[in-house]
Amino acid sequence: MNAYITTGTLQFLKKIKDKHPDEKMVLMGHDDSAALLHETGGETVFASPRKYEVIDSTGTFENAGYAVLNNIPVTDEGRPLFEYRFSNRPGQVEKEPGFIAIRVLRPLSSNTYVILTLWEAKSAFDKWQLSNASKEAHQEKGQPSNIFSGAPYITTYSIAEEE
């Protein structure tokens, strides 16, 4: 399974999503900043997206109200260790109230992995961040310093309302 992300205005991306009602997509954002994720086993409908392979997946896109994309630049040498950590994660986030879905996305044309989590609402994500389970999941566990090629950063979006 692959995932593709493109950005643009909400109105433009909504037209793409509406044109392909049978595709698995989630529209994230608001008027001035929006992204559209397309998850498919086939080809994407986007012209020039960021491309990823889905290496871990739980949940669906339905009922999501808030999206968090944790963008993590990883060195070539660090990829196996990074992916090993995610394949052996304890899965605590899935037990959190308000959790909807997670996708661990391996970049196909860059060095930045994306950990996408979908939540019922921002408040559910905020509660997860303050929880002991979150602190435990994000502890540094003796990782070599050469695993990351840059500082991770988070982007967040509200899920665009269907009209």
Side-chain angles (χ1 to χ4, degrees):
M1 182 73 61
N2 289 324
Y4 302 90
I5 300 174
T6 193
T7 55
T9 65
L10 185 64
Q11 295 78 16
F12 176 73
L13 297 178
K14 185 172 181 344
K15 286 179 187 175
I16 294 173
K17 185 174 189 262
D18 290 347
K19 188 176 177 181
H20 303 281
D22 295 331
E23 295 293 330
K24 192 174 179 182
M25 295 185 183
V26 61
L27 181 58
M28 306 171 283
H30 34 71
D31 291 335
D32 58 344
S33 174
L36 183 59
L37 180 135
H38 180 208
E39 188 174 68
T40 180
E43 295 296 316
T44 186
V45 299
F46 302 154
S48 56
R50 294 188 309 268
K51 304 172 188 175
Y52 303 90
E53 180 181 358
V54 179
I55 60 173
D56 189 13
S57 172
T58 301
T60 66
F61 296 162
E62 287 89 35
N63 302 316
Y66 191 68
V68 179
L69 289 80
N70 193 352
N71 304 272
I72 307 170
V74 177
T75 63
D76 287 341
E77 300 82 21
R79 284 178 156 220
L81 180 58
F82 181 82
E83 290 183 19
Y84 175 81
R85 274 195 71 205
F86 270 95
S87 67
N88 291 287
R89 66 187 180 81
Q92 293 299 314
V93 69
E94 287 94 327
K95 299 172 187 170
E96 285 298 308
F99 170 84
I100 299 291
I102 186 170
R103 298 295 187 272
V104 179
L105 307 177
R106 173 192 294 142
L108 297 178
S109 56
S110 76
N111 70 339
T112 303
Y113 284 75
V114 174
I115 313 306
L116 167 71
T117 54
L118 297 174
W119 300 86
E120 287 177 359
K122 181 181 183 310
S123 59
F125 172 70
D126 291 342
K127 286 178 187 173
W128 155 250
Q129 280 194 304
L130 297 173
S131 73
N132 288 334
S134 174
K135 290 176 182 126
E136 186 177 306
H138 293 100
Q139 280 181 346
E140 295 295 324
K141 296 181 176 135
Q143 294 187 127
S145 59
N146 66 344
I147 189 172
F148 302 111
S149 61
Y153 60 96
I154 292 177
T155 50
T156 61
Y157 295 99
S158 294
I159 303 299
E161 298 283 326
E162 293 295 322
E163 292 178 9

